[in-house]
Amino acid sequence: MNEQNLEYLKKSLDYLGFGTKLNDVLESAISREIPAFTLGVNQSYTSSQAKKGPAIGSDQMRVMLNFNRSKQSDMYFLNDYEVTLLKAGSALPIKQVFDLERDNRITALQAYKLLSGNALERDVYAKAENGESAEKKKVWFKLNLDVQDAYGNHPLKKFYPEFKFDLSESIDKYPFKGLNELGKDGMMRVLRNGNLAQADMLVGKKTVSVFVTANPQFKGLDVFDKNMAIIRQDEIFPKQDKTQRNDVSQDQATFRAVDFSAAKTEERFPWENQQDDEISQGSEIER
């Protein structure tokens, strides 16, 4: 058994958010020299709605990690994993396969947030066109849960800095009430981590409590009421003039014309730089 390869895979699992819980079964499978094998783990999350009303129940997620042995050596590789998420109160699960290289090593917790409909920002190493060393960029990720491709996956959209989505400017466009600079900074951190942010907003002539998440595709925010029903943009901006509507249409046209997922990327496992993306049994996520 290749001990160095085994230790690398254990570190990979830890980075993805599984800690050491799969180490024993991983080592057992490799010691038996199985050409290909799959390890599974269950995870539950408590949404913000469930924390207020325990009767709602938790979201349940099943992760199946696929390992393959090299045909040229005794090394094993973790290439992808499949996630099945059943949201509390939903009859149908949502499925997605995340390719570690293609999808920039999305962690299990990030996968949960994406499958919950949230956008998130993370660092990506992008190869320079002139052959120089990889450059780290902040990239927004969001799944299009409305469609599926030929493999049953939802397209994972990536929005690079060239797309010019400015979260701070987007927040400033919305009629939040009592959102001081400190509160804005906190909201930006929450949204960048792929969570829902709660605030008060003027909708029509009333101040209501809302949840918001970033929408980099349309350079704005998705806004929900306390029951997680979407609040339309024309309800928030009832007097929006024609110029503003044309600007939004132009943003949508620009997005359709450019494929921001085509950029070549090179990603490492940044074990030293983990922040809030640790997965643990019974984790509480703002959704």
Side-chain angles (χ1 to χ4, degrees), residues 38-41 62-66 78 80-84:
T38 299
L39 303 181
V41 61
R62 176 74 171 169
V63 182
M64 305 297 292
L65 301 109
N66 301 312
L78 172 58
D80 58 47
Y81 63 88
E82 181 182 77
V83 177
T84 302

Side-chain angles (χ1 to χ4, degrees), residues 103-121:
D103 298 333
N104 304 100
R105 289 170 171 78
I106 292 292
T107 68
L109 181 55
Q110 291 168 347
Y112 168 77
K113 294 174 181 179
L114 290 168
L115 284 168
S116 296
N118 296 350
L120 58 88
E121 184 187 61

Side-chain angles (χ1 to χ4, degrees), residues 110-170:
Q110 291 168 347
Y112 168 77
K113 294 174 181 179
L114 290 168
L115 284 168
S116 296
N118 296 350
L120 58 88
E121 184 187 61
R122 54 173 308 199
D123 292 333
V124 165
Y125 285 90
K127 290 182 179 179
E129 295 295 333
N130 56 8
E132 296 181 359
S133 58
E135 178 185 1
K136 185 167 69 173
K137 295 184 177 182
K138 292 190 176 296
V139 179
W140 282 91
F141 291 74
K142 185 173 177 60
L143 281 175
N144 185 351
L145 296 176
D146 294 328
V147 299
Q148 290 178 295
D149 62 20
Y151 300 97
N153 273 342
H154 303 283
L156 180 60
K157 299 295 183 180
K158 304 173 187 178
F159 305 91
Y160 286 81
E162 292 80 2
F163 187 64
K164 299 186 183 304
F165 169 57
D166 189 310
L167 180 60
S168 178
E169 289 182 0
S170 295

